[in-house]
Amino acid sequence: MMTTQAKARAGEDLSPVAEMKSAVAGFMSEFSVFRAEVYNRLQQQEEKMTMFERKSIALSRPHLAAGADTHAPHRKAFDAYLRGGDDDALRGLELEGKALNTAIAGEGGYLVDPQTAETIRSVLTSTASIRAVANVVAVEASSFDVLVDHTDVGHGWATETGSVAETDTPAIDRINIPLHELSALPKASQRLLDDSAFDVEGWLAGRIADKFARAEAAAFVGGDGLDKPRGFLAHPSVDNDVWTWGNLGYVPTGAEGAIDGPDPIVDLVYALGAQYRANATFVMNSKTAGTIRKMKDADGRFLWSDGLAAGEPARLMGYRVLIAEDMPDIATGANAIAFGDFRAGYTVAERPDLRVLRDPYSAKPHVLFYATKRVGGDVSDFKAIKLLKFAVS
């Protein structure tokens, strides 16, 4: 406003009205200059922002990135290791996430990248296996202990003046579930690995998942516990009327290798304790299911009902049915149907990591991929599972 003030001093002989007009005119002139400068600066800023946006779009980058893809470095390094055995990137890779640790274990090999490991895990979960209904726990040790209190505390009625007698002390059992190494050894030619169009990670995940799923499913049902999980059918079975801890109780069908009616199914359901029936599941293979689903009650109604919605399991007497192909067929003395709360009765313990070791030498010109996973399983509550034995008694 120095110019306006100077004009006012120079024009002291002007009238007040003329002086006011002169001052306002000077102010408006200066304001116009100021507005032009601000407009120019805003225009320049807008041009810079436009250029920045064009560069972002050209590079396919979001304006405000939600977060860096932490899997990408590991995927690139792991892919290089699978295709050409180049482990330099894996050795020098540093990632922030705990699940993306690429340290080398004592037995050799690298942790599979998170996306590949998740693919394998989802296939294992969706496979028709006891895993789908069992209690699955992740452990970091070589074994998992389940503490089971299968006794009851004693009790007594006390009077106001009478003495109180000591009651029995409950006993706690320890069930040890060791982890065993499950392995797969798929192979591919080096020429196939050199083909950039070949999805080596997807192929490897599918082959390993298929092998592991079938091996696990068989072991959880009938595994002998020697270098593999112990299946629930590997435990001794006794008539449910004389059942004791450490055995699985069975209900006989009353016919050798056959079932004459729905009564044994009903007896099997109510042989299981009421505390387990709410979450109970029938387990049988497809052949047995084909026989059972034809059965009707006295009023001509089928005991079997299919799921009303897509993905919903079939039901037998209102209870879920799991089709596990590793269950035995109907035969004389076979325990072809199991019924119980497997989440309480069977525990699957596993280490969450999957390791892959590349071997380009043993099967030239092919490359072997040695994948290992540690898993164990065993019955954790012998009260929670009952069997239907196709025998007279």
Side-chain angles (χ1 to χ4, degrees):
M1 296 301 177
M2 298 299 296
T3 305
T4 305
Q5 293 176 357
K7 289 181 179 179
R9 287 194 296 269
E12 291 179 355
D13 56 340
L14 296 178
S15 64
V17 176
E19 184 178 352
M20 179 62 67
K21 287 183 179 181
S22 176
V24 171
F27 172 78
M28 292 302 297
S29 176
E30 292 181 1
F31 182 77
S32 298
V33 175
F34 173 75
R35 184 178 63 178
E37 293 178 355
V38 171
Y39 178 78
N40 290 334
R41 291 182 181 180
L42 290 177
Q43 188 69 20
Q44 294 175 0
Q45 187 69 21
E46 185 176 355
E47 291 177 357
K48 292 181 180 179
M49 292 298 297
T50 301
M51 293 174 61
F52 177 75
E53 289 178 357
R54 288 176 180 175
K55 290 182 179 180
S56 298
I57 294 174
L59 296 176
S60 299
R61 296 173 179 171
H63 300 299
L64 294 175
D69 183 7
T70 57
H71 294 181
H74 193 284
R75 284 178 55 84
K76 184 177 180 180
F78 186 65
D79 184 73
Y81 173 69
L82 293 180
R83 293 182 184 275
D86 181 9
D87 59 356
D88 292 340
L90 283 176
R91 292 177 182 275
L93 189 62
E94 295 182 0
L95 297 175
E96 296 179 358
K98 291 183 179 180
L100 305 184
N101 181 21
T102 59
I104 303 176
E107 64 273 16
Y110 294 96
L111 290 177
V112 176
D113 72 277
Q115 183 168 348
T116 304
E118 183 61 33
T119 302
I120 295 171
R121 190 175 302 115
S122 65
V123 174
L124 290 177
T125 303
S126 62
T127 302
S129 167
I130 297 300
R131 171 189 283 271
V133 293
N135 177 35
V136 181
V137 296
V139 298
E140 296 296 336
S142 60
S143 64
F144 180 73
D145 288 346
V146 180
L147 302 179
V148 181
D149 178 11
H150 58 86
T151 59
D152 198 4
V153 178
H155 69 280
W157 295 98
T159 61
E160 182 178 358
T161 58
S163 60
V164 178
E166 291 185 3
T167 59
D168 297 334
T169 302
I172 297 179
D173 279 348
R174 181 189 299 270
I175 298 176
N176 180 261
I177 303 177
L179 270 63
H180 307 280
E181 187 172 284
L182 177 60
S183 63
L185 194 62
K187 67 179 180 179
S189 66
Q190 185 60 55
R191 179 177 298 181
L192 188 61
L193 295 176
D194 292 338
D195 184 1
S196 60
F198 176 55
D199 182 10
V200 62
E201 292 183 75
W203 166 82
L204 186 63
R207 293 297 299 274
I208 295 175
D210 179 68
K211 182 66 176 181
F212 282 6
R214 287 185 282 115
E216 279 191 357
F220 294 154
V221 173
D224 57 12
L226 300 176
D227 298 327
K228 64 174 69 67
R230 189 174 184 181
F232 65 92
L233 290 184
H235 289 273
S237 61
V238 298
D239 192 300
N240 196 60
D241 293 336
V242 294
W243 174 85
T244 56
W245 183 263
N247 305 292
L248 293 182
Y250 70 78
V251 174
T253 61
E256 289 293 336
I259 182 170
D260 295 333
D263 290 351
I265 302 293
V266 177
D267 294 339
L268 176 64
V269 169
Y270 289 97
L272 189 67
Q275 69 271 29
Y276 300 111
R277 283 201 298 269
N279 298 317
T281 302
F282 282 99
V283 180
M284 65 190 78
N285 66 21
S286 295
K287 287 186 177 180
T288 305
T291 300
I292 299 301
R293 71 173 299 148
K294 300 174 186 176
M295 299 179 64
K296 301 179 181 179
D297 61 14
D299 297 326
R301 295 173 298 186
F302 285 99
L303 301 180
W304 186 289
S305 61
D306 292 320
L308 299 179
E312 183 179 348
R315 294 187 176 271
L316 179 59
M317 291 187 59
Y319 296 98
R320 175 182 176 180
V321 178
L322 175 69
I323 303 299
E325 301 299 348
D326 295 287
M327 288 291 290
D329 295 334
I330 295 177
T332 301
N335 296 316
I337 298 178
F339 178 70
D341 181 359
F342 285 86
R343 196 164 300 279
Y346 196 88
T347 298
V348 175
E350 64 179 0
R351 290 181 65 93
D353 56 342
L354 172 70
R355 297 184 179 274
V356 176
L357 181 64
R358 188 179 189 273
D359 180 10
Y361 308 108
S362 300
K364 291 181 179 180
H366 293 87
V367 178
L368 299 175
F369 297 98
Y370 181 61
T372 59
K373 178 182 176 64
R374 302 188 67 184
V375 62
D378 203 349
V379 173
S380 52
D381 189 346
F382 290 91
K383 292 182 179 180
I385 302 175
K386 301 297 178 183
L387 305 174
L388 184 65
K389 185 175 182 179
F390 285 74
V392 176
S393 61

